[in-house]
Amino acid sequence: MTNVYLPSESQKNLLELARQALEDVVLGIEREKKQIHDPYLQSREYGAFVSLHNRQELRGCIGNCAPQARLFETVTEMTEAAALRDPRVKPVSKKELAEIRIDITVLSPLAPVDDPLALQIGEHGLHIASG
C-alpha cells in the first residue's frame, strides 16, 4: 500500500478548484476551464472522494476508487456529482453555498492484499470484488 503525497500548495489548489466547481455547478455558471500546470494535480494515479457538509449535515459524498482521469478532473467531477447527484440528499442550494465545507480524500492506487486483517480501520479503504 502506497501513501499519497500532495504538497500543501497542491492541496490548496485542489481545494480551490473544488470550491470553484461547486459554485459553478450550483449557480449554473459555465466558466472556461483553467489550465492546470501543477504536476501533482495532473497525476492519473489516484481516485478521490469529495464530501460536502453544511455544519454537521452531510450534503453529498461521491467518489471514484479507481483512477480514470487526472486528479484535478476527478475532484472536479466528484464535487459536481456530490453537489447535485448524491441520491441520499437533496442537491446543494444557492442559499447554503457559502456554508458548505468541502473535504477531499485522495486515494492511492488499489492494491491487492494477502492479509485483510492487516488493514487499519480509518486509514485503509477496502474495495471488494467477486469473480
Side-chain angles (χ1 to χ4, degrees), residues 30-93:
E30 190 169 328
R31 294 195 177 131
E32 259 187 56
K33 302 293 183 194
K34 286 184 175 182
Q35 293 293 324
I36 306 301
H37 302 290
D38 184 328
Y40 291 95
L41 304 187
Q42 291 283 344
S43 174
R44 293 179 178 270
E45 296 180 29
Y46 308 119
F49 272 79
V50 175
S51 301
L52 307 176
H53 293 86
N54 186 340
R55 295 180 180 80
Q56 299 303 318
E57 180 184 359
L58 178 67
R59 295 299 294 115
C61 179
I62 293 186
N64 190 337
C65 294
Q68 296 182 343
R70 294 176 291 184
L71 180 58
F72 80 90
E73 294 168 328
T74 298
V75 168
T76 298
E77 182 183 336
M78 296 304 108
T79 301
E80 294 171 354
L84 300 181
R85 298 189 299 275
D86 186 333
R88 300 168 295 172
V89 296
K90 292 181 181 177
V92 172
S93 69

